[in-house]
Amino acid sequence: MCIQRFYNSCQVRFFFHKFGNGVGELRLYSLESVQPPYNNKEVELWRSYGNKGDTWWKAAVNLPNMTKSYQLQFVARRGVGNSDIAIDDITLSRECFGIGVPENESIIPDEPSKPNDEKPQVAQVKKYLVNTCGAVGRVGPNENQCSIAYQNTTTKISVMTEPTLEGIQKWIIPESGLYTVFVKGAGGGPGVENRGRSLGASLRATFDWEEGEAIYILVGQKGIDACGTVSACDSF
């Protein structure tokens, strides 16, 4: 995961289920990368002991101030008996991405003093947009469609042609760093007898990627009706 710069604001949130005899314990650790490589600073963040009943419980745990890349690790232990331990719906709060952080909780690194005549450096944010390249239906785009779609943009994509991978877009990371990915999915089409449809959704996540790493992107299109007409669906 990315570096956590906001003390006492960023939270990991999740649901957990612990039920049965000999259910044991569930713990959450942060593993921060330190020097030399492959060593981790391990800190226990949260724990739960014993049987919590046949229900799901919600937990919200503050992450400590970490200046290196880190991972979150769940460890479950159970004894002899018929029991289960499960976790679900693991998310990070918006403060982890610098949104809505209280002013007094921001960790601002010390910077050396600068001459008065030196202008402050403004960070440049590069954007890369990946879309359907104009493809419709169940088949993905081809190389020519994406070449046209991404011309005069910063996005450089190649399209896979191997069997089972046709239409998948391949993007090579141009430079190492943190990338925030925004993903938006369209809603589905009506089902049989025009009953219900799935709604669209959006997701955001941050990744620490290395230059030259290959990212494979499958872009779908909006769902179509299960049948061509409502009367045809009614015949099932």
Side-chain angles (χ1 to χ4, degrees), residues 130-133 135 137 139-141 150 167-169 184 217-221:
V130 180
N131 54 41
T132 63
C133 297
V139 180
Y150 299 133
I168 293 179
Q169 301 180 47
K184 295 183 178 180
I217 306 169
L218 177 60
V219 182
Q221 292 85 40

Side-chain angles (χ1 to χ4, degrees), residues 116-188:
N116 294 332
D117 59 349
E118 183 177 346
K119 295 182 179 179
Q121 297 294 321
V122 179
Q124 294 184 347
V125 177
K126 297 180 180 179
K127 297 181 179 180
Y128 304 92
L129 178 64
V130 180
N131 54 41
T132 63
C133 297
V136 295
R138 66 179 184 84
V139 180
N142 55 43
E143 188 79 28
N144 184 59
Q145 287 176 301
C146 286
S147 295
I148 296 173
Y150 299 133
Q151 64 182 348
N152 301 323
T153 72
T154 57
T155 305
K156 306 300 179 184
I157 288 286
S158 60
V159 181
M160 307 295 291
T161 58
E162 292 85 344
T164 72
L165 296 178
E166 291 181 279
I168 293 179
Q169 301 180 47
K170 180 180 178 181
W171 180 50
I172 303 299
I173 301 300
E175 56 184 298
S176 300
L178 298 177
Y179 289 79
T180 300
V181 180
F182 297 82
V183 181
K184 295 183 178 180

